[in-house]
Amino acid sequence: MKPIQVGLLGIGTVGSGTFNVLKRNQEEITRRAGRGIEITMVADLDVARAKAVVGEGVQVVNDAAAVIANPDIDIIIELIGGYGIAKKLVLDAIAAGKHVVTANKALLAVHGTEIFAAASAKGVVVAFEAAVAGGIPIIKALREGLTANRIQWLAGIINGTTNFILSEMRDKGLDFDVVLKEAQRLGYAEADPTFDIEGVDAAHKVTLMSAIAYGIPVQFDKAYVEGITKLGAADIKYAEQLGYRIKLLGITKRTAKGIELRVHPSLVPAKRLIANVEGAMNAVVVNGDAVGTTLYYGKGAGSEPTASAVIADLVDITRLHTADPQHRVPHLAFQPSAISNEVVLPMSEVVTSYYLRLRVADEAGVLAQVTGILAGAGISIDAVLQREADEVGGEGSTQTDLIILTHDTREGTMNDAMAQMQALPTVLAPITRIRKEELA
Ligand SMILES: NC(=O)c1ccc[n+]([C@@H]2O[C@H](COP(=O)([O-])OP(=O)(O)OC[C@H]3O[C@@H](n4cnc5c(N)ncnc54)[C@H](O)[C@@H]3O)[C@@H](O)[C@H]2O)c1
Ligand SMILES: N[C@@H](CCO)C(=O)O
Ligand code: NA
């Protein structure tokens, strides 16, 4: 089957990430989608910059309408932003019978009702995973994973720029303006950064989540919106002293009287996981009556994290483009015909770092014997801790514990070294080995 053809409108921060990730991971994405996905035409006002990103072989124009008019294109990605020209282009793409993928939360939160109605009438999809919490698959979780539940409430840190500002102000005592400039440089901030700092961007996102959580129309005009501009450094400090962190939260809650929809700075107990979401990271907590509380965490902004969500929507739409129902939800996420025979490694080939605890005789030269074996095996030591014998075995003890952290080592090599260490007469008990994972 020939690749599905995609037209990209706007190749700035998110657009270039989308182009690059799609190209880099082409082979695996095709195995998942069941068909290649190719951006064959790009529109951007800055044609020269666009050409520098896409190279040869992709048509670049400055008129987005020309991409929509191209009959070979099945999916339009809108990454221009705003409610101006983007609205017209999305509606034109729908009218032309094309599916739309967009990261434009502003457009959907304000004009979603009109846009979704147009798409329904035409039988096309408007997918927007990238619009809420960037790379975190929160739309998919609400739309698919949690469908059994009556959602009670959800709350999220859904604006990276403001979370970055609050984190830097708290940790480094930096000024608001300095941190905002840095967020803009890193590509997190909206074209108009007042949308970030006044809470508007978070309100766009929580409006969309509220609609999906409760099955109501998107109603941005009903949201209460308060940003972080009136917060003082002193408030952050006092909250801290009381055991809280201040976070800009988007909250939507079902109550007996109706649905709450609001964005404002909030004190959150410091021990909550969400209170420890720092920098530009996002997190959303969802409470459903059956599942209880679930947490979704990750990068909510930036070029490739946002591209990750855009491409997931492209894969979903591509999977729909077939009559075969098996194709739509492949059991193992990859198409059955694309399952690979890559090997699963035996444990001896696994590479990790280690914590070792050796109960040894408290005498000269023991440490040298042990480290000598590790050096001989090419195992690099990260840290060594030798406990006082008295601490380990009580007063007058002749035994002590030697704790060693290693750098990455092949398990088979470690097994051999451990056998040698265990055989030393000065090693008095079975060695304890715990594998260490950084998980960063
Ligand atoms: N940057 C992020 O981390 C992020 C994350 C999630 C969602 N978003 C959303 O993604 C969208 C794009 O954001 P971005 O950060 O990539 O913006 P950007 O400013 O980096 O890119 C927009 C691009 O669109 C082009 N453009 C403007 N008007 C055009 C027109 N009429 N025709 C064709 N091209 C035009 C610009 O030249 C630019 O290259 C926005 O809706 C934004 O809210 C961004
Ligand atoms: N301006 C947004 C981009 C992601 O939607 C943020 O800072 O989170
Ligand atoms: Na998302």
Side-chain angles (χ1 to χ4, degrees):
M1 217 178 190
K2 75 176 183 38
I4 195 161
Q5 296 197 24
V6 179
L8 173 57
L9 314 183
I11 187 160
T13 303
V14 183
S16 57
T18 301
F19 186 85
N20 291 331
V21 174
L22 196 55
K23 199 163 153 197
R24 187 169 77 231
N25 296 341
Q26 193 175 51
E27 200 250 348
E28 284 210 24
I29 291 168
T30 305
R31 287 176 53 215
R32 291 195 174 96
R35 187 173 171 187
I37 300 174
E38 238 175 61
I39 294 175
T40 53
M41 196 170 176
V42 173
D44 200 291
L45 298 181
D46 191 337
V47 170
R49 184 165 45 78
K51 279 193 170 153
V53 176
V54 301
E56 297 297 315
V58 177
Q59 195 185 349
V60 179
V61 296
N62 72 358
D63 179 12
V67 181
I68 295 170
N70 182 336
D72 295 331
I73 285 174
D74 289 314
I75 308 175
I76 294 290
I77 310 177
E78 183 279 303
L79 295 173
I80 292 172
Y83 339 87
I85 183 73
K87 182 184 177 199
K88 178 177 170 6
L89 294 170
V90 165
L91 287 171
D92 286 352
I94 292 168
K98 301 187 194 292
H99 303 292
V100 174
V101 175
T102 180
N104 193 339
K105 55 267 166 163
L107 175 63
L108 294 180
V110 176
H111 300 291
T113 302
E114 179 184 351
I115 289 167
F116 297 133
S120 297
K122 266 287 179 180
V124 294
V125 175
V126 174
F128 55 95
E129 181 61 79
V132 183
I136 305 175
I138 185 63
I139 298 296
K140 214 171 186 49
L142 289 168
R143 195 185 59 208
E144 291 165 29
L146 298 173
T147 42
N149 290 270
R150 196 172 155 79
I151 306 288
Q152 321 273 25
W153 56 266
L154 65 82
I157 295 172
I158 46 181
N159 182 267
T161 301
T162 45
N163 203 52
F164 183 70
I165 291 174
L166 292 175
S167 298
E168 296 283 288
M169 283 173 72
R170 186 176 76 94
D171 291 350
K172 302 186 184 156
L174 288 176
D175 279 340
F176 188 92
D177 296 342
V178 175
V179 194
L180 174 60
K181 284 215 174 65
E182 180 65 1
Q184 286 175 297
R185 194 187 64 78
L186 291 166
Y188 304 146
E190 292 305 302
D192 176 356
T194 60
F195 272 30
D196 295 296
I197 60 182
E198 297 296 358
V200 176
D201 176 72
H204 289 147
K205 293 167 179 166
V206 73
T207 298
L208 290 170
M209 288 196 287
S210 180
I212 299 175
Y214 305 125
I216 57 173
V218 281
Q219 299 167 79
F220 174 69
D221 57 334
K222 304 278 170 53
Y224 171 80
V225 189
E226 184 185 318
I228 63 168
T229 50
K230 293 194 204 89
L231 276 181
D235 302 312
I236 296 175
K237 199 173 70 198
Y238 294 142
E240 191 94 10
Q241 288 167 2
L242 294 163
Y244 293 88
R245 298 272 165 80
I246 297 181
K247 294 291 183 190
L248 182 70
L249 293 185
I251 300 172
T252 184
K253 196 182 272 187
R254 200 200 298 260
T255 77
K257 289 188 184 158
I259 287 163
E260 296 179 4
L261 181 57
R262 51 195 168 96
V263 170
H264 49 72
S266 314
L267 265 71
V268 181
K271 65 180 179 194
R272 294 271 179 275
L273 282 171
I274 197 168
N276 295 285
V277 170
E278 301 288 8
M281 301 306 280
N282 280 196
V284 182
V285 183
V286 182
N287 182 277
D289 67 338
V291 73
T293 299
T294 55
L295 171 68
Y296 308 83
Y297 169 82
K299 288 190 176 149
S303 179
E304 293 204 355
T306 311
S308 167
V310 170
I311 296 168
D313 282 341
L314 290 179
V315 170
D316 273 354
I317 293 171
T318 305
R319 283 173 171 167
L320 286 174
H321 262 254
T322 167
D324 175 8
Q326 282 271 316
H327 180 104
R328 292 182 201 152
V329 190
H331 293 118
L332 295 176
F334 288 79
Q335 299 297 327
S337 58
I339 295 297
S340 101
N341 55 5
E342 216 170 321
V343 296
V344 175
L345 291 176
M347 192 61 191
S348 60
E349 290 302 323
V350 165
V351 173
T352 179
S353 54
Y354 296 87
Y355 158 104
L356 303 175
R357 179 170 60 80
L358 293 82
R359 174 59 57 91
V360 296
D362 186 24
E363 55 187 58
V366 177
L367 181 61
Q369 288 173 334
V370 168
T371 54
I373 290 172
L374 291 172
I379 298 172
S380 158
I381 295 172
D382 181 28
V384 177
L385 186 70
Q386 181 164 0
R387 304 277 310 278
E388 289 296 329
D390 289 356
E391 260 185 89
V392 173
E395 187 132 1
S397 169
T398 56
Q399 302 184 1
T400 188
D401 277 342
L402 203 56
I403 290 110
I404 299 171
L405 296 183
T406 76
H407 290 295
D408 275 354
T409 305
R410 201 181 61 91
E411 177 101 358
T413 307
M414 179 53 82
N415 290 344
D416 294 345
M418 281 177 69
Q420 286 180 55
M421 292 187 287
Q422 194 69 69
L424 290 172
T426 46
V427 173
L428 307 173
I431 300 170
T432 298
R433 167 215 344 234
I434 305 176
R435 295 167 192 87
K436 185 160 76 67
E437 308 292 339
E438 294 299 334
L439 305 182

